[in-house]
């Protein structure tokens, strides 16, 4: 079975159609084992997305097995391999980029076809469901690379959801000094087992001392504004989460970029290299990251999970296509 | 005589007071020969400025002579020399930065005191009034350095005023391919002698092909928005001109930074190194840059010039303290 988004707001369950009998060159057939639910999946269900082409099977945080039963994660794209971006190892910006779950069908399905070039093997020792985090972790690694985060630097992370907490773990792994800011006490409370296990700090309001670098890890425009305001002169901010339409950033806040010679760098998606690095990071912190798995549930539960994911209070929901995990 | 801004909107002429008889260590007395009028001078007169401390003698585009009658330009600041920014040769961001004409008295005056460390000698062959352009040219060089402009890259410059045209000349000198966009036909017309002399292009609307890099050279928020919109994925934008308070940039335009992995880098002021490089650039293009001098006028004319500078239709006005140039 698979979930098809036929129009914004309308998910339909139907039999899986894993592509034509004869696949195009370089494409392979896979069995999905797990697929994480991203907030972007919930957003495209709720309001659409600039890169979404309907009808579409969403899902891009996929753990699957190939014909030889080898577990893999999927870099969620196809790239031409020859454009200026591909040649510069920035294939997430490829001139002909097609995103899995956006432009072609993704992982909310028992079966799947995908470019063989997108398969990245999962280390044998890793609990396979955890590998669903390779995509979000890789997106975070892209953002930290864009701002060239260095050891000992103070990193401000605005937003204490799954992505903000992953960013803190990844920054600490780089020997930087991350601090997560989360204004909702219930989210700090929810994060506390992870924070304790990873020895990380999440505060309801930022300390006074400014930060060398920052990342906005929630769509509230106030998060980006706070990041800009709290940076040292010459500081760098990863623009990681797209902004909600309102409220608009004020021009006087934007002018701080000018006056403080700040650098704001967009980070959108990830490359294969980031995804492989993400698997390595997950391998170093399986216990910590497992605390960011909200629940592993049967595929049928997707429609009831999407509103929760959209509301933002939960960690990572993972759909189980193996039948191993009950409701 | 000197012009003192006693409060926003109030300029008063009074006898020059070139500081105390006994100067602080490292400060020297100078005679002003020329001082350019910057749009920021007009803005601080009209509406104040975040870095302005009143009362103040404005003016920071200064050509002066020292006690031995050697012509110099002045890097318009004082920097501590020891903070993280000074050690990194980013003294424009110094922890203890004081800007000439903002925090301490500037060049709209016959006499001046300034830190000896700020003096940069003018090459003998250069017409001295042209050296007033060293400060704005150096600010442009800072911006082009921030975005790491490389040969053959297409640079979009939004705004065809003095600064935008200087940016085009400097970019061409770096062997990049600049195109200036200016929507007001009268400004393109006014720029045409310069454009012809420098073999540069200024268009009323941008061509379709996107740009590798961009710079906003006017305070209209639409200029920054246009720069962001017309950049290639992974492109870089120098945030050179602070934005007017309205209209606000829309969040959907700001989100392009995220989706296209753009880099926006603030550029504010310049370092001594940029100013020395600016003098070298002026030395290579004296005829071209002389076409950006609107007029050289006696100091008494300042009050009538400020509204024109604020309105933005003129090139560079230069006040003459030598008595050589008539009205």
């Amino acid at each position: 079975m698979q979930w098809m988004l036929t129009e914004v707001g309308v998910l339909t369950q139907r039999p899986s159609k894993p592509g034509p009998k004869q696949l195009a060159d370089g494409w392979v057939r896979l069995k999905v084992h797990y697929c994480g639910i991203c907030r972007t999946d919930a957003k495209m269900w709720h309001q659409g997305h600039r890169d979404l082409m309907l009808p579409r099977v969403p899902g891009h945080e996929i753990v699957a097995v190939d014909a030889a039963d080898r577990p893999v994660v999927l870099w969620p794209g196809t790239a031409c391999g020859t454009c200026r971006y591909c040649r510069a190892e920035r294939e997430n910006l490829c001139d002909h980029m097609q995103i899995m779950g956006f432009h072609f069908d993704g992982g909310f399905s028992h079966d799947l076809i995908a470019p063989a070039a997108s398969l990245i093997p999962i280390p044998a020792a890793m609990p396979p469901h955890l590998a669903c985090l390779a995509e979000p972790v890789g997106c975070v690694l892209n953002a930290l690379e864009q701002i060239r985060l260095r050891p000992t630097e103070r990193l401000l992370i605005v937003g204490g959801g799954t992505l903000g907490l992953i960013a803190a773990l990844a920054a600490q792994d780089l020997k930087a000094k991350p601090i997560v800011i989360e204004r909702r006490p219930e989210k700090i409370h929810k994060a506390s087992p992870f924070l304790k296990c990873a020895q990380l700090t999440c505060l309801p309001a930022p300390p006074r001392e400014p930060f060398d670098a920052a990342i906005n890890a929630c769509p509230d425009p106030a998060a980006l504004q706070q990041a800009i305001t709290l940076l040292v002169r010459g500081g760098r901010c990863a623009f990681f989460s797209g902004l909600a339409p309102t409220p608009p950033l004020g021009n006087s806040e934007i002018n701080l970029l000018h006056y403080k010679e700040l650098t704001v760098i967009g980070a959108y998606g990830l490359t294969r290299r980031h995804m492989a690095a993400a698997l390595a990071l997950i391998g170093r912190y399986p216990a910590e990251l497992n605390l960011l798995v909200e629940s592993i549930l049967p595929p049928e539960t997707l429609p009831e999970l999407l509103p929760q994911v959209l509301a933002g209070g939960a960690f990572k929901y993972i759909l189980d296509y193996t039948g191993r995990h009950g409701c």
Side-chain angles (χ1 to χ4, degrees), chain A residues 81-225:
Chain A
T82 57
C83 72
R84 62 188 283 188
Y85 300 104
C86 287
R87 291 198 309 272
E89 288 198 353
R90 297 187 76 176
E91 68 265 24
N92 57 322
L93 302 184
C94 170
D95 277 339
H96 306 284
M97 179 67 172
Q98 302 274 291
I99 309 175
M100 172 172 283
F102 293 64
H103 300 100
F104 65 98
D105 286 344
F108 293 154
S109 173
H110 278 91
D111 302 279
L112 184 76
I113 61 166
S118 299
L119 275 53
I120 301 175
I122 300 175
M126 187 175 294
H129 73 276
L130 266 192
C132 282
L133 295 174
E135 200 274 343
V137 170
C139 289
V140 163
L141 293 180
N142 178 25
L144 298 184
E145 186 176 284
Q146 296 286 355
I147 55 172
R148 295 182 169 79
L149 187 67
R150 293 181 292 258
T152 79
E153 286 194 318
R154 286 165 52 83
L155 175 71
L156 173 68
I157 299 160
V158 189
T162 312
L163 272 291
L165 297 174
I166 288 173
L169 185 70
Q172 185 167 265
D173 185 68
L174 289 168
K175 306 197 190 313
K177 294 176 183 160
I179 289 182
V180 182
I181 302 303
E182 172 53 58
R183 63 182 174 194
R184 282 183 281 182
E186 67 275 19
K187 292 194 81 170
I188 298 182
H189 178 74
K190 186 176 174 63
S192 59
F194 170 84
L195 294 166
K196 192 172 172 192
C197 180
Q199 297 186 282
L200 286 163
T201 304
C202 181
L203 302 172
R208 287 174 63 101
E209 203 188 332
F211 290 84
D212 302 298
I215 175 168
N216 73 324
C218 68
D220 184 347
L224 187 62
Q225 184 176 316

Side-chain angles (χ1 to χ4, degrees), chain A residues 26-28 30 74-75 77-79 100 104 113-119 272:
Chain A
W27 286 66
V28 293
L30 302 163
L74 294 174
W75 177 68
T78 68
M100 172 172 283
F104 65 98
I113 61 166
S118 299
L119 275 53
R272 296 177 183 88

Side-chain angles (χ1 to χ4, degrees), chain A residues 264-275:
Chain A
V264 171
I265 314 178
Y268 183 54
L270 77 173
T271 67
R272 296 177 183 88
R273 184 171 53 78
H274 295 125
M275 201 152 189

